[in-house]
Amino acid sequence: MMRQAFRHLARRRLSNVPEWTVYGGPRPQDASSPSAAAARRVTVTTLRGKHRRGEPITVVTAYDYPSAVHVDSAGIDVCLVGDSAAMVVHGHDTTLPISLDVMLEHCRAVARGATRPLLVGDLPFGCYESSSTQAVDSAVRVLKEGGMDAIKLEGGAPSRITAAKAIVEAGIAVMGHVGLTPQAISVLGGFRPQGKTVDSAVKVVETALALQEAGCFSVVLECVPAPVAAAATSALQIPTIGIGAGPFCSGQVLVYHDLLGMMQHPHHAKVTPKFCKQFGNVGHVINKALSEYKQEVETRTFPGPSHTPYKITATDVDGFANALQKMGLNEAADAAAAAAENAEKGGNSPESS
């Protein structure tokens, strides 16, 4: 067990190191088998290979252990732990309130659930803007404390380009993010698409090129017209990941909750983007299950015998009842005896008192 735990930890901690090198990640015992190939960790090198071959890259934004397990099982290439958790999980109207410490909690949960995808953690607003030193320190925490393989930062202002370059030079892989950058809504005037004018479109491409020059391994293009995304993708030598940017990017990213159609309350309706396709209607399934649970509890049909697995012998029930009577708890003794009798008859539930 200890050896297995060590191998799992090694696989998680070394996942951002190219495989088959002297310091590479763990090599499967039978590397030629299809199952071993499927289980190999996705690295930045893996993504470069897919990009070179023209194979689309799949990315899903997730925030916790259960969703990370699903993303892993589905064979998704990249799991992004986004600061959009502020809105999707914590109920805020923007991404700004979430802190680095809270982001690290989400990162750790995802890292425990996803062992195959490349894990990328967002740098939240307020943890990298002051200086390159602050940016590097925050990025180091995302890897060391959060268990991520890489970080993502938003924007293309000169200070952001400098920060990205410094983080890369510190030995940390960086994903850029241009177009609609939610952390900049104060400047943008809200969640507004970018690249809709000549100047804005040129700026998107120029910023993406600057991030590539800074050493980013990939760039997210958010909420820009498809021709602008196509131009940026063509101009760059690194993969572009589109979100609301049309079909011409190197890959696509959607939020786990959004693509599953998981949430159906007014807040989520307000923050769910227009570009999101719902590949499921999980929210309806959840609501139906919760309603059925409520009904069965209220009608005392749950839990029935099949969900009441723990038994006590008749002798111990008698002894327990006697002990309760000595404590002066006669009604409790009667309740225990009645429950035991009901269980022997295979009864579902007691009548409502």
Side-chain angles (χ1 to χ4, degrees):
M1 289 295 291
M2 183 66 70
R3 186 174 299 173
Q4 289 177 343
F6 178 78
R7 282 201 297 267
H8 177 81
L9 179 62
R11 186 167 64 248
R12 172 73 269 143
R13 293 303 182 189
L14 296 179
S15 60
N16 59 334
V17 181
E19 293 186 45
W20 326 133
T21 68
V22 120
Y23 297 105
R27 190 184 186 107
Q29 290 184 351
D30 182 7
S32 62
S33 69
S35 59
R40 290 177 187 167
R41 292 283 305 145
V42 176
T43 68
V44 170
T45 302
T46 308
L47 299 185
R48 290 192 186 112
K50 294 195 72 169
H51 179 239
R52 185 173 60 252
R53 295 187 298 271
E55 299 173 5
I57 296 168
T58 55
V59 186
V60 170
T61 299
Y63 313 107
D64 58 20
Y65 177 84
S67 58
V69 170
H70 287 151
V71 170
D72 189 293
S73 299
I76 300 296
D77 297 316
V78 181
C79 186
L80 170 64
V81 186
D83 61 355
S84 50
M87 303 173 71
V88 179
V89 177
H90 298 281
H92 295 292
D93 290 329
T94 72
T95 64
L96 302 183
I98 198 165
S99 68
L100 179 58
D101 286 336
V102 173
M103 280 297 301
L104 290 173
E105 290 290 347
H106 287 291
C107 288
R108 284 190 284 267
V110 168
R112 287 189 288 268
T115 60
R116 180 187 175 275
L118 182 79
L119 301 184
V120 180
D122 252 338
L123 290 186
F125 179 73
C127 79
Y128 65 101
E129 296 86 351
S130 297
S131 67
S132 293
T133 300
Q134 183 199 33
V136 170
D137 289 346
S138 296
V140 167
R141 290 191 67 192
V142 171
L143 265 66
K144 292 186 70 172
E145 299 177 38
M148 297 289 100
D149 302 315
I151 65 95
K152 181 174 78 66
L153 57 75
E154 290 186 10
S159 61
R160 304 295 174 91
I161 303 298
T162 301
K165 189 173 187 293
I167 295 170
V168 171
E169 290 177 349
I172 298 171
V174 176
M175 176 181 281
H177 184 155
V178 300
L180 170 58
T181 49
Q183 292 178 11
I185 60 169
S186 177
V187 175
L188 298 177
F191 295 101
R192 300 181 182 278
Q194 303 297 299
K196 297 179 69 175
T197 66
V198 172
D199 289 344
S200 180
V202 169
K203 184 178 179 181
V204 169
V205 177
E206 288 179 338
T207 302
L209 286 168
L211 287 166
Q212 175 181 263
E213 182 66 22
C216 291
F217 71 89
S218 178
V219 175
V220 171
L221 303 175
E222 180 168 359
C223 294
V224 300
V228 179
T233 301
S234 177
L236 293 172
Q237 296 178 349
I238 58 176
T240 58
I241 305 299
I243 178 165
F248 304 108
C249 297
S250 312
Q252 299 291 329
V253 57
L254 285 177
V255 172
Y256 176 86
H257 297 70
D258 291 343
L259 73 89
L260 291 180
M262 180 173 287
M263 303 168 75
Q264 298 177 330
H265 54 73
H267 171 79
H268 194 67
K270 181 172 63 174
V271 303
T272 299
K274 296 178 181 178
F275 55 76
C276 181
K277 176 180 178 178
Q278 292 188 349
F279 290 83
N281 194 8
V282 176
H284 174 74
V285 175
I286 291 173
N287 289 340
K288 182 173 182 292
L290 289 172
S291 296
E292 290 178 0
Y293 164 72
K294 177 178 181 290
Q295 181 182 17
E296 289 197 11
V297 169
E298 290 176 344
T299 58
R300 297 186 181 275
T301 55
F302 174 83
S306 61
H307 296 102
T308 309
Y310 310 111
K311 309 300 181 185
I312 182 172
T313 66
T315 300
D316 285 333
V317 169
D318 291 340
F320 179 46
N322 290 333
L324 290 172
Q325 289 173 345
K326 290 178 181 178
M327 297 168 62
L329 300 175
N330 293 332
E331 290 185 4
D334 292 341
E341 183 179 356
N342 179 272
E344 288 180 2
K345 294 179 180 179
N348 285 331
S349 299
E351 293 183 356
S352 180
S353 57

